[in-house]
Amino acid sequence: AVLTHGKAVGGSTIINGLVVSRGNRRDYDLWAAMGNIGWDYVSVLPYFIKSESYRGPPLPDTEKYHGKDGPLGVTANNMVPLNKAFVEAGRELGYPSLDPSGPE
């Protein structure tokens, strides 16, 4: 298996395996509670959606959380074999397979 490894100024963290992550909604809500008005998850979600051009399989339960015309191409179905095995192992242990950009 090939694991992502980057060599660049700033280290591998600038590469991040081309993983898109919006972050945890609780963090945004905490920032808003600390006085950063407009940084709660409900306020920033429309910008995430607007920036995204989702190219994955249809997700009926979470489709409203994905944009289709934004500049950031996002797909959910191009996992390498090691990633697929990791997700399958979680399912075998009883963990649900969730859309990371969905409500949970």
Side-chain angles (χ1 to χ4, degrees):
V2 176
L3 298 177
T4 304
H5 180 76
K7 293 181 181 180
V9 175
S12 295
T13 58
I14 69 163
I15 305 299
N16 200 26
L18 298 176
V19 173
V20 174
S21 175
R22 294 179 179 176
N24 190 308
R25 67 182 303 140
R26 290 181 204 98
D27 289 334
Y28 293 101
D29 292 342
L30 176 62
W31 297 336
M34 295 170 65
N36 299 293
I37 297 169
W39 277 95
D40 58 285
Y41 186 73
V42 171
S43 295
V44 298
L45 180 60
Y47 296 99
F48 286 131
I49 294 169
K50 184 177 182 178
S51 70
E52 181 179 277
S53 178
Y54 183 74
R55 298 181 184 130
L59 303 166
D61 295 339
T62 61
E63 186 174 4
K64 68 181 181 179
Y65 292 92
H66 293 281
K68 293 183 176 36
D69 300 316
L72 180 62
V74 176
T75 184
N77 60 356
N78 66 345
M79 291 193 286
V80 296
L82 182 61
N83 292 357
K84 288 179 184 179
F86 182 80
V87 170
E88 185 57 35
R91 286 187 189 130
E92 288 179 15
L93 290 172
Y95 291 99
S97 181
L98 299 174
D99 178 353
S101 296
E104 301 299 323

